[in-house]
């Protein structure tokens, strides 16, 4: 489910952006005119894309864009007047904010939205791979700790300790991690 938060001080711009997004099959579109309300929305839920049309009612919007980029995994599009583009881009791009000039053309908007969504999906895959590798590293550390305890307490060699853990895991239909955790509980300090 693709969801979008649109923050703009004008209903006209909000309507134009909303209609552009509806043709792109976004399931949930939330709109607001206020930066503080937008911050509350970010606390309450996750959005795939956050679009900020500057200036907002109570602030310019660049600080909110950086805040959103640093506290969420959302793609951030910041739409700014062309005369402020370079200055705002310099302040926000390091945070991962995609800055577009006004007036906004549908082509550039679609391209930016699609690029950010593709990047978000790619990052999600990388994060999942990172979690998988972290679990594997944790398992290796736990198994190695269990082997050390078997070597220390039961005077096994490293190959014997390895074989012992593998055999118990196969015989009891448990993972090596579960067997290693049992050994650590039994022989640990």
């Amino acid at each position: 489910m693709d969801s979008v938060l649109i923050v703009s001080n004008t209903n006209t711009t909000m309507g134009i952006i909303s209609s552009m997004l509806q043709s792109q099959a976004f399931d949930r579109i939330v709109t607001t005119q206020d930066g503080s309300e937008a911050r509350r929305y970010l606390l309450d839920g996750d959005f795939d894309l956050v679009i900020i049309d500057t200036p907002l009612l109570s602030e310019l919007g660049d600080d909110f864009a950086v805040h959103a980029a640093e506290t969420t995994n959302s793609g951030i599009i910041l739409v700014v007047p062309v005369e402020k583009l370079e200055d705002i881009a310099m302040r926000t791009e390091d945070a991962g904010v995609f800055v577009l000039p006004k007036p906004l053309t549908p082509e550039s908007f679609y391209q930016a939205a699609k690029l950010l969504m593709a990047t978000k999906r790619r990052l999600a895959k990388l994060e999942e791979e990172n979690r998988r590798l972290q679990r594997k590293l944790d398992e290796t550390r736990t198994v190695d700790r269990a082997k050390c305890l078997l070597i220390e307490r039961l005077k096994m060699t490293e190959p014997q300790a390895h074989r012992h853990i593998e055999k118990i895991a196969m015989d009891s239909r448990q993972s090596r991690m579960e067997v290693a955790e049992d050994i650590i509980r039994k022989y640990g300090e």
Side-chain angles (χ1 to χ4, degrees):
M1 176 170 119
D2 293 334
S3 59
V4 180
L5 173 63
I6 302 171
V7 188
S8 176
N9 69 351
T10 63
N11 288 328
T12 307
T13 304
M14 236 185 285
I16 292 168
I17 292 173
S18 293
S19 65
M20 282 193 252
L21 290 172
Q22 285 171 341
S23 67
Q24 293 298 307
F26 283 92
D27 297 329
R28 189 180 89 164
I29 299 174
V30 177
T31 61
T32 183
Q33 293 182 328
D34 183 47
S36 58
E37 185 177 17
R39 284 177 175 83
R40 284 193 295 278
Y41 279 126
L42 289 180
L43 288 173
D44 293 340
D46 190 31
F47 293 92
D48 296 299
L49 191 58
V50 176
I51 301 164
I52 305 153
D53 175 35
T54 64
L56 302 178
L57 290 176
S58 59
E59 61 183 290
L60 179 61
D62 57 336
D63 289 337
F64 170 65
V66 171
H67 167 77
E70 291 175 347
T71 60
T72 71
N73 289 330
S74 305
I76 312 296
I77 295 177
L78 183 63
V79 183
V80 300
V82 71
E83 62 273 3
K84 295 183 179 183
L85 178 71
E86 193 171 320
D87 181 46
I88 291 175
M90 286 177 49
R91 292 195 316 251
T92 60
E93 285 179 342
D94 284 345
V97 175
F98 200 90
V99 182
L100 292 176
K102 289 183 186 181
L104 193 59
T105 64
E107 295 80 20
S108 66
F109 178 75
Y110 287 138
Q111 188 176 15
K114 289 208 175 277
L115 176 66
L116 286 173
M117 294 303 294
T119 302
K120 181 172 174 39
R121 287 184 186 100
R122 187 159 189 223
L123 280 173
K125 287 179 184 177
L126 290 172
E127 287 171 352
E128 179 54 38
E129 176 70 8
N130 189 25
R131 283 190 292 275
R132 186 188 68 75
L133 291 171
Q134 187 61 46
R135 285 190 301 269
K136 188 171 182 164
L137 183 61
D138 290 344
E139 177 184 331
T140 300
R141 285 181 181 148
T142 303
V143 169
D144 284 350
R145 182 155 184 255
K147 283 186 204 177
C148 287
L149 286 170
L150 290 173
I151 291 167
E152 181 182 303
R153 304 288 171 124
L154 301 181
K155 307 300 182 214
M156 291 182 179
T157 64
E158 195 278 332
Q160 288 172 331
H162 180 80
R163 170 93 174 100
H164 181 74
I165 291 171
E166 292 283 327
K167 183 166 179 14
I168 292 174
M170 278 193 347
D171 291 349
S172 65
R173 295 184 181 175
Q174 291 180 304
S175 69
R176 292 174 358 133
M177 180 78 150
E178 292 169 319
V179 171
E181 287 170 342
D182 288 343
I183 291 169
I184 291 168
R185 276 192 292 279
K186 185 174 181 180
Y187 296 109
E189 277 81 53

